[in-house]
Amino acid sequence: GMQTNCENINYMLIDQDKNSTIEFFDQSGTSSFEQGNKYNLKIKDYLSIYKTNIIKDIITSNQVTSDQTEFINNLIKFPDRELKIIIKLFNELNGICRDEKNNDQNENFNFKFPSDKIVKFKPLLDSLYDYKIIKNTVNHLNEEIIFNDRNTHKFSTGGWLELYVYKILEKMKKEHPDVISDLELNLYLNYSKYNEKQPHHELDVVFIANSRMYFIECKTGMQVINDYNQIIEKTGYLENKLKAKSKIVTTKTKNEILQGNPHRNNFDKLVEKNQLLDLDNLTYHSFKQQILTWIDS
């Protein structure tokens, strides 16, 4: 049981078993819990138990536009086979459009596109153009991809995965309202409202299920290979701090990560704990099943 002072509530009891219930008590010790009515715990209430608050005034560069949201809503409806192809193309696009040699920090966000790859990328590039994420269609005469701005470049080289994961969970929340009670994208946290100078932590996707908090870190391109130790340390620290459970969702396969980190002896532990959700599990049905199994475990 945990205790906290909340507005108009003196004590909050959380039972974090599989069959979680939540009870509120008033000062006389009378429970306000009605049998059979589960309380829909909100993320901010959960965090307050662990003396953690959401920083509201951080202006992030990853503001999601309605075009980006529509693009992802459409993507989720793709058949699994097509979806896997698009995700792999996104992964390659990340490499092309983040390449240091390709990017002289130009403010126009123009990237030279390899002419031998244009045909293969056409389905993805045409779709990005239709949703106003890139300014031009790429063809054999025009070998340059031009993003609308910094935001659309960031979306196309990684931000899409966070929104994709969030939108799958949003759809799940509608299908299983009794499972997921709250869901947020891109939360910035710190652990004391009295000390704003404390370092903040960004969580990509956060949700509450059965009175427990879950968070998902989304990593595209080489991130999960290059920053493997740092990612494991951060998620482990936050899991302990917030008594939460975490997963790392990546567009790399487990084999690619293992090959890129031959001397990391804790890799097997991560896979064993089923903490890594890789490229092969990112289609809607597979992802949804993984999350439901995770919540039940």
Side-chain angles (χ1 to χ4, degrees):
M2 297 281 170
Q3 292 186 354
T4 186
N5 289 320
C6 293
E7 207 172 347
N8 304 323
I9 295 163
N10 291 87
Y11 297 103
M12 180 191 281
L13 173 74
I14 296 186
D15 166 20
Q16 288 183 337
D17 297 1
K18 187 176 170 186
N19 304 314
S20 302
T21 59
I22 294 195
E23 296 187 51
F24 293 110
F25 296 90
D26 62 22
Q27 275 178 314
S28 67
T30 309
S31 171
S32 61
F33 179 74
E34 290 178 37
Q35 202 55 43
N37 286 342
K38 269 194 182 178
Y39 174 73
N40 279 339
L41 184 63
K42 296 292 179 200
I43 291 165
K44 67 178 176 53
D45 295 330
Y46 180 97
L47 290 170
S48 74
I49 298 165
Y50 298 100
K51 295 187 171 61
T52 299
N53 61 307
I54 298 164
I55 307 171
K56 296 241 182 260
D57 56 352
I58 289 186
I59 308 296
T60 64
S61 54
N62 41 339
Q63 297 297 325
V64 176
T65 67
S66 54
D67 287 323
Q68 290 166 9
T69 303
E70 274 184 55
F71 173 84
I72 294 294
N73 282 337
N74 185 46
L75 189 65
I76 288 170
K77 295 175 192 159
F78 279 31
D80 286 4
R81 197 172 58 83
E82 281 181 47
L83 195 53
K84 277 192 172 179
I85 291 166
I86 291 289
I87 289 169
K88 280 185 175 167
L89 289 177
F90 251 134
N91 219 26
E92 281 189 57
L93 184 72
N94 186 307
I96 293 166
C97 297
R98 272 180 180 263
D99 183 0
E100 296 294 324
K101 294 189 288 294
N102 204 342
N103 178 14
D104 296 320
Q105 297 304 309
N106 62 50
E107 286 304 310
N108 300 322
F109 292 96
N110 299 9
F111 293 88
K112 184 111 179 80
F113 210 85
S115 52
D116 58 327
K117 292 191 172 180
I118 286 170
V119 173
K120 181 173 81 166
F121 273 88
K122 200 156 174 48
L124 174 59
L125 296 174
D126 284 352
S127 190
L128 289 174
Y129 175 72
D130 289 343
Y131 286 93
K132 305 182 183 72
I133 291 163
I134 59 175
K135 283 183 179 176
N136 62 326
T137 50
V138 179
N139 54 46
H140 64 286
L141 297 171
N142 177 18
E143 295 177 7
E144 205 172 42
I145 179 170
I146 305 168
F147 292 97
N148 272 351
D149 51 26
R150 185 179 299 279
N151 176 296
T152 50
H153 172 252
K154 190 169 180 181
F155 172 81
S156 305
T157 56
W160 69 271
L161 182 62
E162 294 169 16
L163 189 57
Y164 175 77
V165 166
Y166 175 79
K167 283 289 170 186
I168 288 182
L169 286 163
E170 191 179 63
K171 192 173 174 194
M172 276 181 65
K173 189 173 183 296
K174 284 182 188 139
E175 290 171 6
H176 303 271
D178 54 328
V179 177
I180 295 176
S181 65
D182 199 15
L183 171 67
E184 290 281 354
L185 175 69
N186 295 131
L187 278 191
Y188 288 85
L189 310 177
N190 83 2
Y191 308 127
S192 167
K193 54 187 166 190
Y194 309 110
N195 182 4
E196 291 299 338
K197 288 179 182 160
Q198 279 196 345
H200 64 261
H201 294 275
E202 182 192 358
L203 300 181
D204 294 337
V205 182
V206 185
F207 67 94
I208 299 273
N210 294 338
S211 309
R212 180 133 201 193
M213 192 174 109
Y214 296 77
F215 67 94
I216 296 174
E217 286 285 300
C218 301
K219 300 294 174 193
T220 51
M222 293 296 287
Q223 277 181 305
V224 79
I225 294 176
N226 296 343
D227 305 329
Y228 181 77
N229 271 1
Q230 195 184 333
I231 293 162
I232 302 309
E233 280 167 25
K234 177 191 167 178
T235 52
Y237 172 74
L238 290 172
E239 273 192 335
N240 291 334
K241 173 80 188 166
L242 303 172
K243 303 290 182 286
K245 294 172 91 174
S246 72
K247 266 196 193 300
I248 295 150
V249 172
T250 170
T251 51
K252 290 290 181 192
T253 63
K254 284 175 184 166
N255 271 343
E256 286 172 317
I257 298 163
L258 187 56
Q259 283 161 12
N261 291 276
H263 307 300
R264 307 286 165 89
N265 58 4
N266 54 356
F267 182 81
D268 289 340
K269 282 186 204 158
L270 185 71
V271 174
E272 200 180 295
K273 278 170 69 185
N274 199 22
Q275 200 180 350
L276 192 72
L277 228 160
D278 70 358
L279 179 71
D280 295 331
N281 293 296
L282 291 190
T283 58
Y284 177 70
H285 301 290
S286 170
F287 187 96
K288 177 181 159 182
Q289 199 45 59
Q290 294 267 357
I291 297 295
L292 288 172
T293 305
W294 187 34
I295 290 167
D296 260 351
S297 64

